[in-house]
Amino acid sequence: DELLSAVPRAGGIAWLAFGNSGATEMLLNWVHHVIALRKGHAMVVACYDDGLFVHLRRLRVPAYNYSGALPPVHFRGTPFLFHRMGFLKAMTIKEVLLSGRHVLVSDSDVAWAKDPTAELAAFAAAGASIAPSTDCLDAAADADKTPRGASPFMCGHSPGNTAGAVFNTGVIFLAASNSTVAFCERWARSTLKLETWWSDDQGVFNRLLTARGFYPVRAASSDGRLVHGPDGLVLGPLPARRFCSG
């Protein structure tokens, strides 16, 4: 909580990234862009090995110490380690949400070119629980919230769609609430239980949001930008024109 003392508990947004020593250069690039947007006071990096933690602390970058959680090497091709990272990421988000702060979490390879704070705050004010990026590459179709049965490939999150929504965990905004805390717990535990090598936390994220009662997509706002998710969650898919997929 001390590391985020400059972020208000009610309505403040914590900027979160995560990784191990294998992602050091990308994380330093993430830090550079966040500081350039004058959001350095709101950022924190979850470090999953001692080398990264020591390096960031030496640079006075706010960092959570999860040393020993993962080895200090690139492990994308090692499924059980990647699943463990997904578990840790979801649990870290949960801990920040429990402090009463909203969370903007992004992968280490994200470079923030503009400050999305105002747009994310508007999502939260409108009632969004989770606002994830998507894998939709058709910006025009993504912006069109006219109710319809189908949308282009991986853009099936508009009202009326009966299939095709694909959310991307590379960028996610989560509003602090009991429902998002509970979701992160389910996300973490389900990721840790994965048994297939090709599965990952992003697949779990999508399954939890879309496998039960999501289709046909139901609007949760008059403009169609918000849609109903499971367990009382309200989803606000981030606009493809401004939030690139992973």
Side-chain angles (χ1 to χ4, degrees), residues 28-179:
L28 290 178
N29 187 61
W30 181 89
V31 168
H32 168 80
H33 283 83
V34 173
I35 290 176
L37 295 176
R38 300 182 182 276
K39 291 296 179 179
H41 66 282
M43 71 178 181
V44 64
V45 178
C47 301
Y48 298 145
D49 66 48
D50 190 61
L52 178 62
F53 178 71
V54 170
H55 186 63
L56 293 186
R57 292 297 287 171
R58 187 179 297 124
L59 296 174
R60 302 184 71 179
V61 174
Y64 291 141
N65 184 4
Y66 289 90
S67 295
L70 292 168
V73 294
H74 183 71
F75 52 81
R76 182 62 180 91
T78 309
F80 78 92
L81 291 176
F82 200 69
H83 297 166
R84 185 185 299 175
M85 184 208 67
F87 166 81
L88 292 167
K89 175 175 69 174
M91 292 300 285
T92 304
I93 297 169
K94 173 189 168 184
E95 291 303 316
V96 179
L97 291 172
L98 284 170
S99 75
R101 299 172 177 91
H102 303 328
V103 177
L104 172 60
V105 59
S106 53
D107 286 348
S108 57
D109 58 355
V110 169
W112 287 104
K114 292 184 179 180
D115 180 7
T117 299
E119 187 166 1
L120 299 177
F123 267 112
S129 310
I130 303 176
S133 56
T134 75
D135 277 349
C136 179
L137 298 179
D138 190 323
D142 175 73
D144 179 9
K145 301 304 180 184
T146 304
R148 57 192 184 276
S151 291
F153 185 55
M154 296 193 292
C155 300
H157 48 267
S158 292
N161 286 179
T162 57
V166 183
F167 299 114
N168 193 297
T169 55
V171 177
I172 316 172
F173 171 76
L174 301 97
S177 68
N178 291 336
S179 60

Side-chain angles (χ1 to χ4, degrees), residues 152-236:
F153 185 55
M154 296 193 292
C155 300
H157 48 267
S158 292
N161 286 179
T162 57
V166 183
F167 299 114
N168 193 297
T169 55
V171 177
I172 316 172
F173 171 76
L174 301 97
S177 68
N178 291 336
S179 60
T180 53
V181 167
F183 173 81
C184 286
E185 178 74 24
R186 292 194 298 275
W187 182 20
R189 300 297 176 185
S190 298
T191 299
L192 199 60
K193 293 178 181 177
L194 287 172
E195 297 180 352
T196 51
W197 66 266
W198 43 264
S199 300
D200 58 16
D201 63 285
Q202 181 167 293
V204 172
F205 183 87
N206 274 277
R207 175 165 53 82
L208 290 176
L209 290 181
T210 66
R212 178 170 52 85
F214 182 70
Y215 299 110
V217 179
R218 295 164 295 134
S221 63
S222 59
D223 59 5
R225 295 183 66 205
L226 302 183
V227 298
H228 288 287
D231 303 307
L233 293 169
V234 175
L235 311 182

